[in-house]
Amino acid sequence: MNRQSTNISLRVSFVFISLLMTASAQAQLYKWVGPDGKITYSDVPPPASVKQVQSKSYDGGSPANNLPPELAAAVAKNPVILYTAANCTPCNEGRVFLKGNGIPFSEKTVKTPEDADKLQQVSGDTQLPLLVISNVKFRGLDTSEWRAALSKAGYPETDQLPKDYRYAAAESAAPAPATAAKNDTTDDNATPNRKKRKAPPPPPASAESGFRF
């Protein structure tokens, strides 16, 4: 084989490898409803007889989106949210359980009165931890109940998270508006009729907060 043929072969190989990398970086997830009413999620296109199909691309460049099809389908259909509080041993155990089972979830912390109001609104109770799978709520820690519910929601029995997956940082259950800090800034020499806002009292300790663990 002469040098020109070798160069052509190398260029063809490079293009082929590039196409493979591009294809793997953009995974496609399909959703459709069968004749029997069963909803199917798959990374393989449905049969030609299926008319109504929804598809969503998952960019492999982002660790959070680079999920196996079965796990990605569960996250899309039945997202998981965990409500926790500080100094809450069951909350810590619940968080460890979810991570140990490879379950992607969002964590909402309950620290302020506004957070407590949000918890009451979502749960109708003050018990923590609170696990929400889609619209189904589980008050208190019961790992057997949680595992059964997660399996029913389509989450794999074994950890399938990519090694480079990173969980998002926990956030407040009722985050304050971004403009709140600016609105709280007042001047003693400003309009006389305008009263200066008082800073909210610090949240009570967990043992006295009224939460049930």
Side-chain angles (χ1 to χ4, degrees):
M1 182 181 295
N2 56 36
R3 180 176 298 178
Q4 184 177 2
S5 299
T6 300
N7 290 338
I8 294 175
S9 178
L10 289 174
R11 285 198 296 270
V12 171
S13 299
F14 177 78
V15 171
F16 180 70
I17 293 173
S18 299
L19 289 173
L20 286 178
M21 292 176 64
T22 301
S24 63
Q26 190 76 13
Q28 196 81 9
L29 182 66
Y30 299 90
K31 171 187 174 183
W32 69 89
V33 180
D36 57 354
K38 181 180 179 181
I39 299 176
T40 301
Y41 291 85
S42 176
D43 59 339
V44 178
S49 58
V50 177
K51 302 301 181 183
Q52 296 184 348
V53 181
Q54 297 179 7
S55 64
K56 185 174 183 180
S57 298
Y58 290 88
D59 183 5
S62 173
N65 291 334
N66 190 22
L67 301 177
E70 181 183 1
L71 184 56
V75 171
K77 185 179 180 182
N78 297 306
V80 176
I81 302 175
L82 178 67
Y83 287 81
T84 64
N87 303 320
C88 169
T89 300
C91 299
N92 297 335
E93 294 175 354
R95 185 188 305 108
V96 171
F97 171 80
L98 292 176
K99 290 186 177 181
N101 281 263
I103 307 299
F105 67 95
S106 301
E107 183 175 354
K108 307 290 186 180
T109 58
V110 181
K111 297 180 180 179
T112 67
E114 290 77 14
D115 293 335
D117 290 343
K118 183 64 176 180
L119 173 66
Q120 183 74 30
Q121 177 184 346
V122 172
S123 173
D125 199 344
T126 57
Q127 186 170 5
L128 289 171
L130 171 68
L131 182 72
V132 182
I133 305 176
S134 189
N135 293 321
V136 184
K137 304 171 181 64
F138 301 88
R139 302 171 184 85
L141 177 63
D142 185 333
T143 55
S144 297
E145 182 182 44
W146 286 19
R147 181 62 264 183
L150 289 165
S151 299
K152 184 177 179 180
Y155 286 89
E157 296 287 343
T158 58
D159 184 353
Q160 296 186 11
L161 284 178
K163 293 182 179 180
D164 58 352
Y165 182 86
R166 295 294 180 270
Y167 285 93
E171 60 181 14
S172 172
T179 58
K182 293 182 180 180
N183 292 337
D184 285 341
T185 302
T186 57
D187 187 347
D188 292 338
N189 297 323
T191 305
N193 293 332
R194 184 177 179 183
K195 294 182 179 181
K196 192 172 183 179
R197 293 185 180 180
K198 293 182 179 181
S206 296
E208 303 173 358
S209 63
F211 299 134
R212 295 188 294 114
F213 300 152

